[in-house]
Amino acid sequence: MSTRADAPTRGGAQDRGDRAHTRPSAPHDSSATTPLRFGYGTNGLADLRLDDALGLLADLGYDGVGLTLDHMHLDPLAPDLPARTRQLARRLNTLGLGVTVETGARYVLDPRRKHGPSLLDPDPDDRRRRVDLLLRAVRVAADLGAHAVHCFSGITPTGTDPDTAWHRLTDALAPVLDAATAAGVPLAVEPEPGQLLATIADFHHLRHALDDPEALGLTLDIGHCQCLEPLPPADCVRAAAPWLRHVQIEDMRRGIHEHLPFGDGEIDFPPVLAALSTTGYQGLTVVELPRHSHAGPHYAEHSLRFLRRTAPGTPTLSAESAESAESAESADSAEAAESACSAEAAAPTATASRLAQAPQAARPQPATSPASPPRPTEVPQTPRPQPVAAPAAAPATFIAAPAKHSTTPAEGSTP
């Protein structure tokens, strides 16, 4: 049975305390370290029943789970949500798993529009549907004792000027922040490449526009930092520390918005994990590989092994143990590669390999306005049409931001 003897008892919002969403009054002692707690996102285990996914993560040794509310995993729109949530809370407590509630399901609100409707839609009724989902997520998070509720802005609709888009976003988030404040659960907004709120600078723009509410925090995706932020990922962690409520992590390449398994991208992870530890981050650090559900159990095991080997404070393996672990990982990787020969898995790999041969793009200068962040190259959604052949010498460059936002869907943690 997947039960931990040392599992903490969690009964809901009353057991959480306020530390998770209170801004520090003084800088954290950089000589001290906080043990990191690792989780895995259920959007990367979409082929598993939720109960099976949770059992898998507990058996592997994860500390928690990033729970995406979706039709296959705690459907937020199905009947008896409170009763199902209470049952899930008991299961999480039995397994000793912490939880973050995430709201990036692709088609949970609309079977024809990916991530639609959003908080930026022109139709007020559509915006209210997204707000209702976030309010449900806050209630679920409170009942589960979650450490945060994740959300994102959405893509600016065609024909919408930036000022109007920001006005819609702030108006839509106001009741959600009220609910989060009442529940004692921070709302952690994620900067997503290609969306209105795409960078850490955009988060601060939103924070100031809302008069810096206590319940508003930040979800920092480490891959997104590598993709388009002007600072290296470890520096992004340190700069964001006072507002950091949730962390997503995966590998990525500069200028290419594609979530990759650890080791397949360009991120130098030891400084990133050290920065999370020394800044005192206490929430979950959740692996975000939503397009790898075809081999989800393998990537869950591979990812935790990598993170534990890389995180500060991890005991050094003996030469014999290290050789054994490396051999096991190589064997696992070979098995996963063989099982991933379908078109679904092969297309993004081929795309990433081709783009990796191009010269490294220069880092963009910080955006002068929160309305026009730099645009990374997007990797198309699977199933994919046959890609158009690119010129052999085409560099993987950033796309200059046009006067109006593109409606090309962003991938990210909400692919």
Side-chain angles (χ1 to χ4, degrees):
M1 182 177 181
S2 303
T3 305
R4 300 185 196 175
D6 60 347
T9 300
R10 301 187 321 278
Q14 291 84 359
D15 298 328
R16 238 186 348 267
D18 297 329
R19 181 172 54 186
H21 64 278
T22 301
R23 289 176 174 80
S25 56
H28 185 77
D29 181 3
S30 61
S31 64
T33 59
T34 301
L36 298 181
R37 301 168 58 229
F38 297 119
Y40 199 89
T42 58
N43 59 2
L45 296 169
D47 294 320
L48 276 66
R49 298 178 183 88
L50 179 57
D51 193 63
D52 291 338
L54 298 178
L56 169 72
L57 297 181
D59 286 342
L60 289 175
Y62 276 95
D63 302 295
V65 58
L67 174 66
T68 295
L69 301 181
D70 207 346
H71 62 88
M72 80 295 283
H73 292 156
L74 195 65
D75 188 341
L77 304 182
D80 300 323
L81 179 60
R84 290 183 288 117
T85 302
R86 287 192 295 270
Q87 181 179 2
L88 175 58
R90 290 191 292 269
R91 177 65 168 157
L92 290 169
N93 188 66
T94 298
L95 296 174
L97 293 173
V99 61
T100 301
V101 173
E102 304 200 0
T103 60
R106 293 181 180 97
Y107 297 102
V108 70
L109 291 178
D110 190 322
R112 293 174 177 83
R113 287 191 294 164
K114 180 183 171 186
H115 298 144
S118 80
L119 298 174
L120 308 180
D121 275 22
D123 187 337
D125 289 336
D126 279 348
R127 296 200 298 274
R128 278 192 287 269
R129 291 174 60 201
R130 176 61 62 172
V131 169
D132 177 70
L133 175 65
L134 296 181
L135 292 174
R136 288 170 183 255
V138 169
R139 290 194 291 270
V140 167
D143 290 342
L144 294 180
H147 76 80
V149 173
H150 151 278
C151 71
F152 52 91
S153 68
I155 297 169
T156 304
T158 301
T160 302
D161 65 88
D163 288 342
T164 299
W166 282 103
H167 182 73
R168 288 174 185 167
L169 180 61
T170 55
D171 279 359
L173 286 179
V176 183
L177 286 165
D178 288 344
T181 299
V185 181
L187 183 69
V189 179
E190 179 186 7
E192 274 278 351
Q195 297 196 3
L196 175 69
L197 197 155
T199 65
I200 298 173
D202 293 334
F203 166 75
H204 288 302
H205 179 79
L206 174 68
R207 185 170 64 85
H208 291 304
L210 289 167
D211 198 24
D212 199 14
E214 185 73 17
L216 180 64
L218 174 68
T219 292
L220 189 67
D221 187 301
I222 302 303
H224 296 173
C225 297
Q226 174 70 19
C227 181
L228 59 72
E229 292 285 352
L231 295 175
D235 289 344
C236 290
V237 170
R238 285 184 282 268
W243 300 274
L244 200 53
R245 302 295 174 261
H246 182 43
V247 172
Q248 297 169 344
I249 193 166
E250 69 286 316
D251 217 338
M252 201 169 286
R253 295 186 176 97
R254 185 69 178 167
I256 304 172
H257 188 198
E258 181 183 14
H259 289 221
L260 300 172
F262 298 115
D264 287 2
E266 300 169 344
I267 298 177
D268 183 12
F269 283 100
V272 173
L273 297 178
L276 286 170
S277 180
T278 57
T279 54
Y281 174 66
Q282 298 177 19
L284 289 172
T285 299
V286 173
V287 178
E288 197 76 3
L289 293 174
R291 295 189 179 181
H292 291 74
S293 281
H294 63 281
H298 161 76
Y299 285 109
E301 182 176 3
H302 165 82
S303 298
L304 186 59
R305 186 185 298 134
F306 176 91
L307 290 169
R308 283 183 168 171
R309 189 172 65 237
T310 310
T314 303
T316 303
L317 293 175
S318 66
E320 182 178 352
S321 299
E323 183 178 354
S324 175
E326 184 176 352
S327 298
E329 186 165 327
S330 298
D332 287 346
S333 297
E335 181 180 349
E338 181 178 353
S339 66
C341 288
S342 64
E344 178 184 22
T349 303
T351 302
S353 299
R354 173 170 46 82
L355 291 171
Q357 303 302 317
Q360 177 67 25
R363 296 193 174 190
Q365 295 301 313
T368 57
S369 165
S372 56
R375 303 291 181 104
T377 300
E378 292 293 340
V379 177
Q381 170 68 23
T382 56
R384 299 172 172 81
Q386 199 68 23
V388 178
T397 57
F398 285 87
I399 301 172
K404 295 184 180 180
H405 280 265
S406 168
T407 56
T408 301
E411 181 195 323
S413 63
T414 54

